[in-house]
């Protein structure tokens, strides 16, 4: 294996999630396709030029349990230079961050937010 190619996310409201990932998190749109036969959008997103997320919409997707924690993918994590800066940016966009915690093994600071479908997103300070 070489690297993680991408993470696929299915959202319940395409326009709200598209705005969250592009406008609030600042990911770049590589390609946006509407697949009529599936009644589904597929939005390819990049971070600093690297393709990282496929955002999908499907009619009436079932909810995936997030809390309490359940088996499966736990969260997405983004490395950031300045944790306070990202928290302020989130707050300005009505996205609430959890209190800052410190990784007991690395002594690095981190926090979590949630996307519009309550998927946990971690910001981990470099």
């Amino acid at each position: 294996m070489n690297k993680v190619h991408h993470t696929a996310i299915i959202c319940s409201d395409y326009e709200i999630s598209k705005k969250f990932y592009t406008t609030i998190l600042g990911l770049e749109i590589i390609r946006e396709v509407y697949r009529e036969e599936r009644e589904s959008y597929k939005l390819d997103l990049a971070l600093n030029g690297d393709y990282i997320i496929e955002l999908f919409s499907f009619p009436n997707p079932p909810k995936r349990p997030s809390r309490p924690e359940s088996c499966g993918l736990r969260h997405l994590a983004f490395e950031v230079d300045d944790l306070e800066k990202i928290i302020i940016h989130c707050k300005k966009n009505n996205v609430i961050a959890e209190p800052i915690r410190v990784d007991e093994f690395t002594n690095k600071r981190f926090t979590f937010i949630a996307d519009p479908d309550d998927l946990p997103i971690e910001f981990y300070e470099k």
Side-chain angles (χ1 to χ4, degrees), residues 3-114:
K3 63 178 185 175
V4 173
H5 187 265
H6 70 273
T7 300
I9 300 171
I10 298 172
C11 63
S12 63
D13 187 311
Y14 179 72
E15 291 303 325
I16 289 173
S17 291
K18 177 182 174 182
K19 179 181 178 186
F20 175 82
Y21 283 97
T22 60
T23 304
I24 296 173
L25 292 189
L27 300 181
E28 170 193 358
I29 296 174
I30 298 172
R31 178 179 29 259
E32 182 176 32
V33 178
Y34 181 72
R35 302 173 307 168
E36 194 168 332
E37 69 283 359
R38 293 179 150 187
E39 300 178 48
S40 169
Y41 279 97
K42 178 180 181 281
L43 184 66
D44 297 334
L45 300 168
L47 176 63
N48 299 321
D50 290 327
Y51 175 59
I52 62 164
I53 291 178
E54 289 180 347
L55 182 66
F56 290 97
S57 68
F58 291 106
N60 305 309
K63 286 202 172 280
R64 181 182 313 264
S66 181
R67 289 180 181 83
E69 291 184 24
S70 57
C71 289
L73 182 64
R74 166 66 174 102
H75 63 266
L76 295 178
F78 293 100
E79 179 183 275
V80 299
D81 291 323
D82 184 336
L83 200 54
E84 275 85 10
K85 187 175 179 181
I86 195 76
I87 291 169
I88 289 168
H89 173 76
C90 287
K91 188 174 183 176
K92 286 180 184 175
N93 287 280
N94 298 313
V95 176
I96 304 304
E98 293 179 359
I100 293 174
R101 294 186 258 169
V102 176
D103 185 308
E104 64 184 291
F105 300 107
T106 65
N107 289 321
K108 301 286 185 171
R109 299 177 331 138
F110 65 96
T111 190
F112 282 90
I113 63 167

